[in-house]
Amino acid sequence: ACILTTESYGAGTYTLVDKTSTQTLTGKTVTVSDTEFIPVAWMIDGAAAPDALATVDLGTRQVKARTFAADSSEDLEFFWQAPADIADGDSGTAGFQVKWRPVYVITHATAPASGEGVTFALASCSSGDGDTGNCTVGDDSVVAYADLDGHAQYDVVYGTYTAMTVTDGAAGEAWMMKVYRDHDHASDDYAQVVGLIGIEVKYVKNMTNGY
């Protein structure tokens, strides 16, 4: 859900305080950001798949995760239906952009030492009606957590939102994505598996009535 606080449009700046009322802004487009979580359970084995989906017992709580090795770049593929109201987060400067971050859990009993980290990467392409779904993903967007010192077994880790340019990205299309643990990256030096819970996509959207 989105909560609109302050947005600029036209000649002035306006604040919507009463979130229960309906505000009509004729001829105006209000732009906000939103997020969507994509669980690892929706993902499909890539060229070199990580461990199968399993329940990670955290004690009282449980999560579903797939553990990625530290010595090979294991990958998963998945489909995401881009929202009809999604907009380019970079306004066309460097291609159609969104932001993303991985969400994973430290599954191994050996906790990361000082200076040890984990890196995940994501790449995507977009296919519209009549386009082949076998599109070629763009450049990798890398989220490196360089120092996991202080994290212990069963701790949840959130990466930093990082921009990703989507090849031929467009609203309302099928976005094909590939996510993997980049074990060759300089910041991926935690020598244990970690369990990917999913990824979060953060994007810009235009609030218009397109029903």
Side-chain angles (χ1 to χ4, degrees):
C2 297
I3 299 176
L4 178 63
T5 54
T6 302
E7 288 295 330
S8 297
Y9 50 87
T13 300
Y14 303 80
T15 302
L16 303 184
V17 177
D18 182 0
K19 300 177 180 64
T20 64
S21 66
T22 299
Q23 305 291 330
T24 302
L25 304 174
T26 304
K28 304 295 183 182
T29 299
V30 179
T31 301
V32 297
S33 64
D34 205 348
T35 60
E36 185 169 339
F37 178 71
I38 303 170
V40 75
W42 292 2
M43 300 180 188
I44 304 165
D45 289 355
D51 293 332
L53 184 70
T55 299
V56 179
D57 189 346
L58 308 177
T60 306
R61 306 275 77 82
Q62 297 176 328
V63 294
K64 289 290 187 183
R66 297 188 68 168
T67 50
F68 283 70
D71 58 357
S72 62
S73 289
E74 298 171 333
D75 65 304
L76 294 172
E77 304 266 350
F78 58 98
F79 164 94
W80 185 58
Q81 178 60 43
D85 55 2
I86 195 171
D88 180 10
D90 194 43
S91 302
T93 302
F96 200 109
Q97 285 191 358
V98 295
K99 293 183 177 181
W100 80 286
R101 66 179 180 178
V103 182
Y104 54 98
V105 60
I106 304 298
T107 54
H108 202 276
T110 302
S114 177
E116 290 185 334
V118 169
T119 301
F120 277 94
L122 181 70
S124 180
C125 56
S126 176
S127 296
D129 184 39
D131 296 337
T132 178
N134 189 30
C135 58
T136 301
V137 297
D139 294 336
D140 292 338
S141 171
V142 175
V143 177
Y145 203 131
D147 189 357
L148 288 167
D149 186 30
H151 289 74
Q153 188 180 29
Y154 305 139
D155 282 1
V156 177
V157 181
Y158 289 89
T160 301
Y161 284 119
T162 303
M164 175 184 66
T165 299
V166 182
T167 301
D168 297 325
E173 291 192 350
W175 287 15
M176 307 297 182
M177 298 191 183
K178 172 186 174 181
V179 63
Y180 68 97
R181 181 174 175 181
D182 189 357
H183 82 289
D184 288 325
H185 194 278
S187 293
D188 193 297
D189 51 7
Y190 173 51
Q192 311 298 335
V193 298
V194 293
L196 184 68
I197 300 171
I199 73 163
E200 192 174 23
V201 179
K202 188 175 187 178
Y203 58 94
V204 172
K205 67 179 184 179
N206 294 324
M207 294 180 64
T208 58
N209 184 1
Y211 181 72

